[in-house]
Amino acid sequence: MISTEQDGPTVTRRFTKRSADTRAAILSAARARFAADGYEKATIRAIAADAGIDASMVMRYYGDKEGLFRAAAFADIDLSGLAVPVTPGSSPDLLELAGRIARVLLANWESGENHVQQLLVRTAFTHPESVTQLQRFLDEHIKPPILAALADDPDADLRVGLLFGQILGILASRYLLRLEPLASADLRLVEVAVRESAELLLTRPIRGV
Amino acid sequence: MISTEQDGPTVTRRFTKRSADTRAAILSAARARFAADGYEKATIRAIAADAGIDASMVMRYYGDKEGLFRAAAFADIDLSGLAVPVTPGSSPDLLELAGRIARVLLANWESGENHVQQLLVRTAFTHPESVTQLQRFLDEHIKPPILAALADDPDADLRVGLLFGQILGILASRYLLRLEPLASADLRLVEVAVRESAELLLTRPIRGV
């Protein structure tokens, strides 16, 4: 907000709106750059150019590169499509849940629009803040729909961890590292494999095997 | 090699031996540093200090940080324990193969001694050379024992890619990112899950499901 007292309420609103638009443009450009280039190679200059504004404006809003990165790495992600409806009196449909996990997460990455998730995985191996946000993503978006469906299973937490690890590896290999043959594999076949692996992890006994 | 003509063969051998020891010490220190810190944060100064030699010596052998990194990222890794013995006339034992994949790779990472693999995964998301070496690791160490066991399966390649992606994700989440609950999970339970997931990927139909 850059209004002064004599600007009055109208100008304040106008400036606030403009400020929000500018911040949104900066964050959008920052997410795309950090997702593609990682933390070290992405520069404030390049991000400002992508957003069509001056680099000094980026510094004014976010202080420095680390401040910009923290703002870019934090986002509300909508993965509400993961949760399966629970019918009172009947068991949650774990096969349906496995199908949703495979479909929703793959569609999310296949779109290429999920820059926040991309930047978290891209930078987590060298930037502690991204590990914190990745753990938060796991705890807030992946764990709840699975725990809700697994109810009293004592291994529910472990299943979540294994499932997240496996899918993270598939997505990172295919979309970020582009390792072959996974990068060029037919999406439908990958989805089948992810779904079946998720089914296995959600349903098979883990202990005493 | 730093011998001159008048040094004669004895001195040459001694210097060559010393040179090989120095190179080995540098590479060992470099692998540990790149594995722990990634490419950008690891410095030649710190690596030289770890190896107990002067930084100028590191430059003399490897030119610059990129040259040192390339040497450190390249290594012969012994994963011969993955291959299952093939008895003529009988089908390869895919369950045995799945068990070996889980056991050998987890033991490898559990030891913490596998710095080359750690550095490849740690840096692959921001350093193209590591992707090249990771693909080579996949092609030379993971693919052959699996293709040998799967013989005429038209989806053999895809199975290798999926399996590698899944296990990469488990290993990276547990040992590098230390995401919970996987980081603290009981090794035996993780091994069971990795083995069963590998069995599934090696044995279930992928097409037409």
Side-chain angles (χ1 to χ4, degrees), chain A residues 40-41 122 125-126 131 135 138 157-158 162 165-166 168-170 173 177 179-181 185 193 197 204, chain B residues 40-41 122 125-126 131 135 138 157-158 162 165-166 168-170 173 177 179-181 185 193 196-197 204:
Chain A
E40 301 291 343
K41 282 182 201 140
R122 173 86 68 197
F125 292 87
T126 45
V131 177
Q135 181 77 58
L138 165 58
D157 261 348
L158 179 57
L162 289 161
Q166 283 195 351
L168 180 71
I170 298 275
S173 300
L177 303 180
L179 292 174
E180 293 296 357
S197 297
R204 286 281 284 277
Chain B
E40 300 292 342
K41 282 182 200 138
R122 173 84 68 197
F125 292 87
T126 44
V131 177
Q135 181 77 58
L138 165 57
D157 261 348
L158 179 58
L162 289 162
Q166 283 196 351
L168 180 72
I170 298 274
S173 300
L177 304 180
L179 292 174
E180 294 295 356
E196 294 207 339
S197 297
R204 286 281 283 278

mmCIF file of all heavy atoms in Angstrom, chain A residues 40-41 122 125-126 131 135 138 157-158 162 165-166 168-170 173 177 179-181 185 193 197 204, chain B residues 40-41 122 125-126 131 135 138 157-158 162 165-166 168-170 173 177 179-181 185 193 196-197 204:
data_model
loop_
_atom_site.group_PDB
_atom_site.id
_atom_site.type_symbol
_atom_site.label_atom_id
_atom_site.label_comp_id
_atom_site.label_asym_id
_atom_site.label_seq_id
_atom_site.Cartn_x
_atom_site.Cartn_y
_atom_site.Cartn_z
ATOM 1 N N GLU A 40 18.675 -21.240 -7.301
ATOM 2 C CA GLU A 40 19.915 -20.507 -7.570
ATOM 3 C C GLU A 40 19.900 -19.803 -8.920
ATOM 4 O O GLU A 40 20.321 -18.663 -9.037
ATOM 5 C CB GLU A 40 21.126 -21.452 -7.499
ATOM 6 C CG GLU A 40 21.312 -22.149 -6.153
ATOM 7 C CD GLU A 40 21.735 -21.199 -5.040
ATOM 8 O OE1 GLU A 40 22.189 -20.083 -5.336
ATOM 9 O OE2 GLU A 40 21.570 -21.587 -3.855
ATOM 10 N N LYS A 41 19.420 -20.514 -9.942
ATOM 11 C CA LYS A 41 19.505 -19.948 -11.299
ATOM 12 C C LYS A 41 18.441 -18.907 -11.591
ATOM 13 O O LYS A 41 18.599 -18.075 -12.494
ATOM 14 C CB LYS A 41 19.434 -21.074 -12.340
ATOM 15 C CG LYS A 41 20.766 -21.808 -12.480
ATOM 16 C CD LYS A 41 20.711 -22.895 -13.546
ATOM 17 C CE LYS A 41 21.812 -23.917 -13.331
ATOM 18 N NZ LYS A 41 21.403 -25.287 -13.573
ATOM 19 N N ARG A 122 11.292 -29.343 -7.296
ATOM 20 C CA ARG A 122 12.542 -28.921 -7.945
ATOM 21 C C ARG A 122 13.569 -28.426 -6.934
ATOM 22 O O ARG A 122 14.759 -28.688 -7.060
ATOM 23 C CB ARG A 122 12.222 -27.815 -8.964
ATOM 24 C CG ARG A 122 13.413 -27.133 -9.607
ATOM 25 C CD ARG A 122 13.943 -27.843 -10.821
ATOM 26 N NE ARG A 122 13.013 -27.811 -11.947
ATOM 27 C CZ ARG A 122 13.109 -28.624 -12.996
ATOM 28 N NH1 ARG A 122 14.086 -29.520 -13.067
ATOM 29 N NH2 ARG A 122 12.240 -28.564 -13.971
ATOM 30 N N PHE A 125 15.492 -30.390 -2.730
ATOM 31 C CA PHE A 125 16.742 -31.102 -2.468
ATOM 32 C C PHE A 125 17.883 -30.170 -2.083
ATOM 33 O O PHE A 125 18.946 -30.625 -1.671
ATOM 34 C CB PHE A 125 17.119 -31.956 -3.687
ATOM 35 C CG PHE A 125 16.154 -33.086 -3.891
ATOM 36 C CD1 PHE A 125 15.003 -32.908 -4.636
ATOM 37 C CD2 PHE A 125 16.370 -34.307 -3.278
ATOM 38 C CE1 PHE A 125 14.085 -33.935 -4.784
ATOM 39 C CE2 PHE A 125 15.467 -35.338 -3.423
ATOM 40 C CZ PHE A 125 14.313 -35.162 -4.175
ATOM 41 N N THR A 126 17.660 -28.878 -2.253
ATOM 42 C CA THR A 126 18.708 -27.921 -1.910
ATOM 43 C C THR A 126 18.190 -26.737 -1.095
ATOM 44 O O THR A 126 18.964 -25.846 -0.769
ATOM 45 C CB THR A 126 19.379 -27.368 -3.192
ATOM 46 O OG1 THR A 126 18.355 -27.041 -4.148
ATOM 47 C CG2 THR A 126 20.302 -28.396 -3.811
ATOM 48 N N VAL A 131 11.276 -28.159 1.708
ATOM 49 C CA VAL A 131 10.954 -29.407 2.402
ATOM 50 C C VAL A 131 9.825 -29.150 3.396
ATOM 51 O O VAL A 131 8.876 -29.932 3.499
ATOM 52 C CB VAL A 131 12.186 -29.981 3.129
ATOM 53 C CG1 VAL A 131 11.803 -31.239 3.899
ATOM 54 C CG2 VAL A 131 13.296 -30.292 2.140
ATOM 55 N N GLN A 135 6.282 -30.991 3.128
ATOM 56 C CA GLN A 135 5.707 -31.740 4.254
ATOM 57 C C GLN A 135 4.315 -31.205 4.578
ATOM 58 O O GLN A 135 3.390 -31.976 4.853
ATOM 59 C CB GLN A 135 6.630 -31.614 5.475
ATOM 60 C CG GLN A 135 6.148 -32.375 6.706
ATOM 61 C CD GLN A 135 6.408 -33.869 6.615
ATOM 62 O OE1 GLN A 135 7.532 -34.303 6.456
ATOM 63 N NE2 GLN A 135 5.345 -34.670 6.721
ATOM 64 N N LEU A 138 1.920 -32.487 1.989
ATOM 65 C CA LEU A 138 1.603 -33.881 2.305
ATOM 66 C C LEU A 138 0.607 -33.960 3.454
ATOM 67 O O LEU A 138 -0.410 -34.671 3.377
ATOM 68 C CB LEU A 138 2.915 -34.605 2.650
ATOM 69 C CG LEU A 138 2.887 -35.955 3.353
ATOM 70 C CD1 LEU A 138 2.091 -36.982 2.560
ATOM 71 C CD2 LEU A 138 4.309 -36.479 3.553
ATOM 72 N N ASP A 157 -0.809 -44.009 8.642
ATOM 73 C CA ASP A 157 0.227 -42.989 8.430
ATOM 74 C C ASP A 157 1.324 -43.488 7.499
ATOM 75 O O ASP A 157 1.763 -42.787 6.587
ATOM 76 C CB ASP A 157 0.872 -42.599 9.775
ATOM 77 C CG ASP A 157 0.281 -41.312 10.316
ATOM 78 O OD1 ASP A 157 -0.439 -40.618 9.561
ATOM 79 O OD2 ASP A 157 0.539 -41.007 11.489
ATOM 80 N N LEU A 158 1.775 -44.702 7.768
ATOM 81 C CA LEU A 158 2.841 -45.272 6.944
ATOM 82 C C LEU A 158 2.389 -45.436 5.490
ATOM 83 O O LEU A 158 3.137 -45.170 4.547
ATOM 84 C CB LEU A 158 3.274 -46.631 7.515
ATOM 85 C CG LEU A 158 4.375 -47.359 6.750
ATOM 86 C CD1 LEU A 158 5.636 -46.511 6.633
ATOM 87 C CD2 LEU A 158 4.708 -48.696 7.424
ATOM 88 N N LEU A 162 4.346 -43.888 2.235
ATOM 89 C CA LEU A 162 4.812 -44.720 1.129
ATOM 90 C C LEU A 162 4.170 -44.298 -0.185
ATOM 91 O O LEU A 162 4.818 -44.177 -1.222
ATOM 92 C CB LEU A 162 4.480 -46.191 1.409
ATOM 93 C CG LEU A 162 5.313 -46.855 2.524
ATOM 94 C CD1 LEU A 162 4.611 -48.120 3.024
ATOM 95 C CD2 LEU A 162 6.716 -47.189 2.009
ATOM 96 N N GLY A 165 5.590 -40.991 -1.330
ATOM 97 C CA GLY A 165 6.946 -41.183 -1.854
ATOM 98 C C GLY A 165 6.934 -41.787 -3.248
ATOM 99 O O GLY A 165 7.617 -41.302 -4.163
ATOM 100 N N GLN A 166 6.146 -42.834 -3.426
ATOM 101 C CA GLN A 166 6.088 -43.508 -4.726
ATOM 102 C C GLN A 166 5.594 -42.571 -5.824
ATOM 103 O O GLN A 166 6.166 -42.518 -6.920
ATOM 104 C CB GLN A 166 5.141 -44.704 -4.654
ATOM 105 C CG GLN A 166 5.742 -45.908 -3.955
ATOM 106 C CD GLN A 166 4.950 -47.169 -4.222
ATOM 107 O OE1 GLN A 166 3.861 -47.132 -4.794
ATOM 108 N NE2 GLN A 166 5.493 -48.294 -3.827
ATOM 109 N N LEU A 168 5.443 -39.270 -5.782
ATOM 110 C CA LEU A 168 6.419 -38.191 -5.956
ATOM 111 C C LEU A 168 7.519 -38.627 -6.929
ATOM 112 O O LEU A 168 7.929 -37.867 -7.817
ATOM 113 C CB LEU A 168 7.033 -37.842 -4.595
ATOM 114 C CG LEU A 168 8.074 -36.737 -4.544
ATOM 115 C CD1 LEU A 168 7.421 -35.389 -4.766
ATOM 116 C CD2 LEU A 168 8.805 -36.729 -3.196
ATOM 117 N N GLY A 169 7.994 -39.855 -6.755
ATOM 118 C CA GLY A 169 9.062 -40.359 -7.619
ATOM 119 C C GLY A 169 8.634 -40.497 -9.075
ATOM 120 O O GLY A 169 9.381 -40.151 -9.996
ATOM 121 N N ILE A 170 7.415 -40.995 -9.274
ATOM 122 C CA ILE A 170 6.889 -41.126 -10.644
ATOM 123 C C ILE A 170 6.741 -39.748 -11.290
ATOM 124 O O ILE A 170 7.173 -39.517 -12.430
ATOM 125 C CB ILE A 170 5.492 -41.820 -10.629
ATOM 126 C CG1 ILE A 170 5.588 -43.243 -10.073
ATOM 127 C CG2 ILE A 170 4.852 -41.774 -12.012
ATOM 128 C CD1 ILE A 170 5.954 -44.291 -11.059
ATOM 129 N N SER A 173 10.203 -38.040 -11.877
ATOM 130 C CA SER A 173 10.947 -38.697 -12.962
ATOM 131 C C SER A 173 10.371 -38.353 -14.321
ATOM 132 O O SER A 173 11.095 -38.130 -15.287
ATOM 133 C CB SER A 173 10.904 -40.221 -12.802
ATOM 134 O OG SER A 173 11.474 -40.619 -11.592
ATOM 135 N N LEU A 177 12.526 -34.552 -14.213
ATOM 136 C CA LEU A 177 13.805 -35.091 -14.702
ATOM 137 C C LEU A 177 13.681 -35.609 -16.134
ATOM 138 O O LEU A 177 14.658 -35.726 -16.841
ATOM 139 C CB LEU A 177 14.284 -36.220 -13.774
ATOM 140 C CG LEU A 177 14.447 -35.853 -12.296
ATOM 141 C CD1 LEU A 177 14.927 -37.057 -11.491
ATOM 142 C CD2 LEU A 177 15.423 -34.689 -12.135
ATOM 143 N N LEU A 179 13.128 -38.624 -17.188
ATOM 144 C CA LEU A 179 13.857 -39.876 -17.379
ATOM 145 C C LEU A 179 13.046 -40.794 -18.282
ATOM 146 O O LEU A 179 11.831 -40.884 -18.166
ATOM 147 C CB LEU A 179 14.078 -40.564 -16.019
ATOM 148 C CG LEU A 179 15.021 -39.856 -15.046
ATOM 149 C CD1 LEU A 179 15.023 -40.585 -13.696
ATOM 150 C CD2 LEU A 179 16.438 -39.792 -15.605
ATOM 151 N N GLU A 180 13.739 -41.481 -19.167
ATOM 152 C CA GLU A 180 13.070 -42.439 -20.048
ATOM 153 C C GLU A 180 13.170 -43.843 -19.472
ATOM 154 O O GLU A 180 14.150 -44.157 -18.811
ATOM 155 C CB GLU A 180 13.703 -42.387 -21.442
ATOM 156 C CG GLU A 180 13.472 -41.077 -22.170
ATOM 157 C CD GLU A 180 12.008 -40.783 -22.480
ATOM 158 O OE1 GLU A 180 11.128 -41.636 -22.191
ATOM 159 O OE2 GLU A 180 11.730 -39.698 -22.984
ATOM 160 N N PRO A 181 12.149 -44.679 -19.722
ATOM 161 C CA PRO A 181 11.025 -44.486 -20.651
ATOM 162 C C PRO A 181 9.813 -43.782 -20.045
ATOM 163 O O PRO A 181 8.818 -43.621 -20.748
ATOM 164 C CB PRO A 181 10.659 -45.932 -21.011
ATOM 165 C CG PRO A 181 10.968 -46.696 -19.773
ATOM 166 C CD PRO A 181 12.164 -46.037 -19.152
ATOM 167 N N ALA A 185 6.159 -42.224 -21.784
ATOM 168 C CA ALA A 185 5.167 -43.302 -21.660
ATOM 169 C C ALA A 185 3.750 -42.765 -21.818
ATOM 170 O O ALA A 185 3.462 -41.606 -21.521
ATOM 171 C CB ALA A 185 5.322 -43.993 -20.309
ATOM 172 N N ALA A 193 -0.842 -47.889 -13.705
ATOM 173 C CA ALA A 193 0.190 -48.378 -12.780
ATOM 174 C C ALA A 193 0.143 -47.629 -11.450
ATOM 175 O O ALA A 193 0.266 -48.241 -10.384
ATOM 176 C CB ALA A 193 1.572 -48.239 -13.430
ATOM 177 N N SER A 197 -0.764 -49.412 -7.916
ATOM 178 C CA SER A 197 0.199 -49.342 -6.815
ATOM 179 C C SER A 197 -0.452 -48.697 -5.594
ATOM 180 O O SER A 197 -0.215 -49.121 -4.457
ATOM 181 C CB SER A 197 1.425 -48.531 -7.238
ATOM 182 O OG SER A 197 2.093 -49.176 -8.301
ATOM 183 N N ARG A 204 -3.279 -53.712 1.175
ATOM 184 C CA ARG A 204 -2.577 -54.924 1.602
ATOM 185 C C ARG A 204 -2.020 -54.783 3.007
ATOM 186 O O ARG A 204 -1.637 -53.692 3.422
ATOM 187 C CB ARG A 204 -1.418 -55.217 0.647
ATOM 188 C CG ARG A 204 -1.908 -55.754 -0.691
ATOM 189 C CD ARG A 204 -2.266 -57.214 -0.632
ATOM 190 N NE ARG A 204 -1.076 -58.043 -0.620
ATOM 191 C CZ ARG A 204 -0.399 -58.405 -1.707
ATOM 192 N NH1 ARG A 204 -0.792 -58.024 -2.909
ATOM 193 N NH2 ARG A 204 0.662 -59.173 -1.608
ATOM 194 N N GLU B 40 25.449 -25.977 -5.823
ATOM 195 C CA GLU B 40 25.744 -24.560 -5.616
ATOM 196 C C GLU B 40 26.444 -24.304 -4.282
ATOM 197 O O GLU B 40 27.396 -23.524 -4.221
ATOM 198 C CB GLU B 40 24.451 -23.733 -5.671
ATOM 199 C CG GLU B 40 23.688 -23.822 -6.985
ATOM 200 C CD GLU B 40 24.431 -23.170 -8.150
ATOM 201 O OE1 GLU B 40 25.346 -22.364 -7.905
ATOM 202 O OE2 GLU B 40 24.102 -23.496 -9.304
ATOM 203 N N LYS B 41 25.958 -24.959 -3.234
ATOM 204 C CA LYS B 41 26.484 -24.650 -1.894
ATOM 205 C C LYS B 41 27.828 -25.303 -1.608
ATOM 206 O O LYS B 41 28.564 -24.851 -0.735
ATOM 207 C CB LYS B 41 25.465 -25.058 -0.821
ATOM 208 C CG LYS B 41 24.326 -24.054 -0.696
ATOM 209 C CD LYS B 41 23.341 -24.435 0.414
ATOM 210 C CE LYS B 41 22.005 -23.738 0.220
ATOM 211 N NZ LYS B 41 20.854 -24.604 0.472
ATOM 212 N N ARG B 122 20.272 -35.649 -5.444
ATOM 213 C CA ARG B 122 20.272 -34.312 -4.824
ATOM 214 C C ARG B 122 20.381 -33.209 -5.887
ATOM 215 O O ARG B 122 19.746 -32.167 -5.780
ATOM 216 C CB ARG B 122 21.456 -34.211 -3.854
ATOM 217 C CG ARG B 122 21.712 -32.856 -3.250
ATOM 218 C CD ARG B 122 20.881 -32.542 -2.036
ATOM 219 N NE ARG B 122 21.223 -33.367 -0.883
ATOM 220 C CZ ARG B 122 20.432 -33.505 0.188
ATOM 221 N NH1 ARG B 122 19.254 -32.896 0.223
ATOM 222 N NH2 ARG B 122 20.787 -34.256 1.196
ATOM 223 N N PHE B 125 17.780 -32.178 -10.066
ATOM 224 C CA PHE B 125 16.695 -31.241 -10.339
ATOM 225 C C PHE B 125 17.183 -29.864 -10.772
ATOM 226 O O PHE B 125 16.406 -29.023 -11.205
ATOM 227 C CB PHE B 125 15.781 -31.124 -9.108
ATOM 228 C CG PHE B 125 15.036 -32.413 -8.861
ATOM 229 C CD1 PHE B 125 15.600 -33.425 -8.102
ATOM 230 C CD2 PHE B 125 13.800 -32.628 -9.443
ATOM 231 C CE1 PHE B 125 14.935 -34.628 -7.900
ATOM 232 C CE2 PHE B 125 13.125 -33.826 -9.253
ATOM 233 C CZ PHE B 125 13.696 -34.822 -8.479
ATOM 234 N N THR B 126 18.480 -29.641 -10.631
ATOM 235 C CA THR B 126 19.019 -28.343 -11.020
ATOM 236 C C THR B 126 20.292 -28.457 -11.853
ATOM 237 O O THR B 126 20.882 -27.436 -12.216
ATOM 238 C CB THR B 126 19.346 -27.491 -9.765
ATOM 239 O OG1 THR B 126 20.008 -28.314 -8.798
ATOM 240 C CG2 THR B 126 18.077 -26.947 -9.147
ATOM 241 N N VAL B 131 21.204 -35.536 -14.472
ATOM 242 C CA VAL B 131 20.127 -36.278 -15.128
ATOM 243 C C VAL B 131 20.733 -37.286 -16.100
ATOM 244 O O VAL B 131 20.305 -38.440 -16.171
ATOM 245 C CB VAL B 131 19.157 -35.330 -15.862
ATOM 246 C CG1 VAL B 131 18.087 -36.128 -16.593
ATOM 247 C CG2 VAL B 131 18.501 -34.366 -14.881
ATOM 248 N N GLN B 135 20.177 -41.230 -15.712
ATOM 249 C CA GLN B 135 19.637 -42.053 -16.797
ATOM 250 C C GLN B 135 20.600 -43.204 -17.108
ATOM 251 O O GLN B 135 20.176 -44.341 -17.352
ATOM 252 C CB GLN B 135 19.424 -41.183 -18.040
ATOM 253 C CG GLN B 135 18.834 -41.930 -19.244
ATOM 254 C CD GLN B 135 17.334 -42.174 -19.105
ATOM 255 O OE1 GLN B 135 16.557 -41.247 -18.957
ATOM 256 N NE2 GLN B 135 16.927 -43.447 -19.171
ATOM 257 N N LEU B 138 20.245 -45.792 -14.429
ATOM 258 C CA LEU B 138 19.031 -46.576 -14.700
ATOM 259 C C LEU B 138 19.273 -47.583 -15.826
ATOM 260 O O LEU B 138 18.943 -48.769 -15.712
ATOM 261 C CB LEU B 138 17.902 -45.592 -15.056
ATOM 262 C CG LEU B 138 16.625 -46.099 -15.715
ATOM 263 C CD1 LEU B 138 15.940 -47.168 -14.876
ATOM 264 C CD2 LEU B 138 15.655 -44.932 -15.928
ATOM 265 N N ASP B 157 10.150 -52.422 -20.689
ATOM 266 C CA ASP B 157 10.763 -51.102 -20.527
ATOM 267 C C ASP B 157 9.943 -50.195 -19.607
ATOM 268 O O ASP B 157 10.485 -49.535 -18.725
ATOM 269 C CB ASP B 157 10.882 -50.408 -21.897
ATOM 270 C CG ASP B 157 12.290 -50.548 -22.460
ATOM 271 O OD1 ASP B 157 13.195 -50.964 -21.711
ATOM 272 O OD2 ASP B 157 12.474 -50.248 -23.646
ATOM 273 N N LEU B 158 8.650 -50.180 -19.846
ATOM 274 C CA LEU B 158 7.774 -49.341 -19.027
ATOM 275 C C LEU B 158 7.808 -49.785 -17.567
ATOM 276 O O LEU B 158 7.831 -48.952 -16.648
ATOM 277 C CB LEU B 158 6.345 -49.395 -19.571
ATOM 278 C CG LEU B 158 5.301 -48.581 -18.805
ATOM 279 C CD1 LEU B 158 5.680 -47.112 -18.731
ATOM 280 C CD2 LEU B 158 3.914 -48.744 -19.435
ATOM 281 N N LEU B 162 8.675 -47.312 -14.399
ATOM 282 C CA LEU B 162 7.762 -47.122 -13.279
ATOM 283 C C LEU B 162 8.401 -47.553 -11.968
ATOM 284 O O LEU B 162 8.326 -46.857 -10.952
ATOM 285 C CB LEU B 162 6.480 -47.938 -13.513
ATOM 286 C CG LEU B 162 5.556 -47.409 -14.619
ATOM 287 C CD1 LEU B 162 4.584 -48.497 -15.065
ATOM 288 C CD2 LEU B 162 4.783 -46.181 -14.132
ATOM 289 N N GLY B 165 11.066 -45.082 -10.953
ATOM 290 C CA GLY B 165 10.452 -43.850 -10.454
ATOM 291 C C GLY B 165 9.914 -44.019 -9.041
ATOM 292 O O GLY B 165 10.170 -43.191 -8.161
ATOM 293 N N GLN B 166 9.196 -45.100 -8.817
ATOM 294 C CA GLN B 166 8.601 -45.341 -7.494
ATOM 295 C C GLN B 166 9.669 -45.462 -6.413
ATOM 296 O O GLN B 166 9.562 -44.867 -5.335
ATOM 297 C CB GLN B 166 7.784 -46.635 -7.511
ATOM 298 C CG GLN B 166 6.445 -46.490 -8.189
ATOM 299 C CD GLN B 166 5.507 -47.638 -7.863
ATOM 300 O OE1 GLN B 166 5.921 -48.633 -7.266
ATOM 301 N NE2 GLN B 166 4.263 -47.507 -8.251
ATOM 302 N N LEU B 168 12.829 -44.511 -6.542
ATOM 303 C CA LEU B 168 13.525 -43.222 -6.422
ATOM 304 C C LEU B 168 12.768 -42.299 -5.471
ATOM 305 O O LEU B 168 13.368 -41.634 -4.608
ATOM 306 C CB LEU B 168 13.623 -42.579 -7.807
ATOM 307 C CG LEU B 168 14.322 -41.230 -7.915
ATOM 308 C CD1 LEU B 168 15.814 -41.401 -7.717
ATOM 309 C CD2 LEU B 168 14.061 -40.578 -9.282
ATOM 310 N N GLY B 169 11.451 -42.270 -5.603
ATOM 311 C CA GLY B 169 10.640 -41.408 -4.752
ATOM 312 C C GLY B 169 10.687 -41.818 -3.293
ATOM 313 O O GLY B 169 10.778 -40.968 -2.396
ATOM 314 N N ILE B 170 10.628 -43.122 -3.046
ATOM 315 C CA ILE B 170 10.704 -43.627 -1.664
ATOM 316 C C ILE B 170 12.069 -43.279 -1.061
ATOM 317 O O ILE B 170 12.168 -42.765 0.059
ATOM 318 C CB ILE B 170 10.518 -45.166 -1.635
ATOM 319 C CG1 ILE B 170 9.140 -45.558 -2.162
ATOM 320 C CG2 ILE B 170 10.790 -45.719 -0.235
ATOM 321 C CD1 ILE B 170 8.052 -45.546 -1.135
ATOM 322 N N SER B 173 12.528 -39.438 -0.590
ATOM 323 C CA SER B 173 11.687 -38.918 0.494
ATOM 324 C C SER B 173 12.235 -39.310 1.853
ATOM 325 O O SER B 173 12.235 -38.520 2.795
ATOM 326 C CB SER B 173 10.260 -39.471 0.377
ATOM 327 O OG SER B 173 9.679 -39.100 -0.834
ATOM 328 N N LEU B 177 15.092 -36.020 1.592
ATOM 329 C CA LEU B 177 14.175 -34.984 2.063
ATOM 330 C C LEU B 177 13.758 -35.224 3.515
ATOM 331 O O LEU B 177 13.352 -34.306 4.210
ATOM 332 C CB LEU B 177 12.933 -34.926 1.165
ATOM 333 C CG LEU B 177 13.193 -34.697 -0.326
ATOM 334 C CD1 LEU B 177 11.878 -34.669 -1.095
ATOM 335 C CD2 LEU B 177 13.966 -33.398 -0.536
ATOM 336 N N LEU B 179 11.126 -36.714 4.676
ATOM 337 C CA LEU B 179 9.708 -36.435 4.881
ATOM 338 C C LEU B 179 9.133 -37.488 5.821
ATOM 339 O O LEU B 179 9.461 -38.670 5.725
ATOM 340 C CB LEU B 179 8.955 -36.490 3.538
ATOM 341 C CG LEU B 179 9.287 -35.394 2.525
ATOM 342 C CD1 LEU B 179 8.579 -35.682 1.204
ATOM 343 C CD2 LEU B 179 8.886 -34.026 3.059
ATOM 344 N N GLU B 180 8.267 -37.031 6.721
ATOM 345 C CA GLU B 180 7.606 -37.953 7.642
ATOM 346 C C GLU B 180 6.235 -38.342 7.102
ATOM 347 O O GLU B 180 5.588 -37.535 6.452
ATOM 348 C CB GLU B 180 7.469 -37.313 9.025
ATOM 349 C CG GLU B 180 8.797 -37.059 9.712
ATOM 350 C CD GLU B 180 9.563 -38.337 10.058
ATOM 351 O OE1 GLU B 180 9.025 -39.444 9.833
ATOM 352 O OE2 GLU B 180 10.690 -38.232 10.523
ATOM 353 N N PRO B 181 5.799 -39.577 7.406
ATOM 354 C CA PRO B 181 6.371 -40.536 8.355
ATOM 355 C C PRO B 181 7.426 -41.475 7.748
ATOM 356 O O PRO B 181 7.924 -42.353 8.450
ATOM 357 C CB PRO B 181 5.143 -41.350 8.774
ATOM 358 C CG PRO B 181 4.290 -41.364 7.552
ATOM 359 C CD PRO B 181 4.507 -40.036 6.886
ATOM 360 N N ALA B 185 10.153 -44.339 9.510
ATOM 361 C CA ALA B 185 9.461 -45.633 9.446
ATOM 362 C C ALA B 185 10.445 -46.790 9.625
ATOM 363 O O ALA B 185 11.627 -46.683 9.298
ATOM 364 C CB ALA B 185 8.728 -45.759 8.109
ATOM 365 N N ALA B 193 6.975 -53.070 1.750
ATOM 366 C CA ALA B 193 6.157 -52.286 0.821
ATOM 367 C C ALA B 193 6.854 -52.121 -0.527
ATOM 368 O O ALA B 193 6.218 -52.236 -1.582
ATOM 369 C CB ALA B 193 5.845 -50.923 1.426
ATOM 370 N N GLU B 196 6.705 -55.512 -2.354
ATOM 371 C CA GLU B 196 5.376 -55.844 -2.886
ATOM 372 C C GLU B 196 5.003 -54.945 -4.063
ATOM 373 O O GLU B 196 4.373 -55.396 -5.021
ATOM 374 C CB GLU B 196 4.332 -55.741 -1.781
ATOM 375 C CG GLU B 196 4.553 -56.794 -0.700
ATOM 376 C CD GLU B 196 3.265 -57.163 0.017
ATOM 377 O OE1 GLU B 196 2.318 -56.368 -0.024
ATOM 378 O OE2 GLU B 196 3.226 -58.258 0.600
ATOM 379 N N SER B 197 5.390 -53.680 -3.981
ATOM 380 C CA SER B 197 5.116 -52.778 -5.108
ATOM 381 C C SER B 197 5.912 -53.222 -6.332
ATOM 382 O O SER B 197 5.419 -53.169 -7.463
ATOM 383 C CB SER B 197 5.484 -51.343 -4.745
ATOM 384 O OG SER B 197 4.683 -50.888 -3.683
ATOM 385 N N ARG B 204 1.979 -57.760 -12.898
ATOM 386 C CA ARG B 204 0.596 -57.516 -13.309
ATOM 387 C C ARG B 204 0.528 -56.984 -14.734
ATOM 388 O O ARG B 204 1.411 -56.266 -15.180
ATOM 389 C CB ARG B 204 -0.044 -56.488 -12.371
ATOM 390 C CG ARG B 204 -0.362 -57.070 -11.007
ATOM 391 C CD ARG B 204 -1.634 -57.900 -11.022
ATOM 392 N NE ARG B 204 -2.823 -57.075 -11.038
ATOM 393 C CZ ARG B 204 -3.354 -56.534 -9.957
ATOM 394 N NH1 ARG B 204 -2.821 -56.712 -8.764
ATOM 395 N NH2 ARG B 204 -4.455 -55.798 -10.048
#
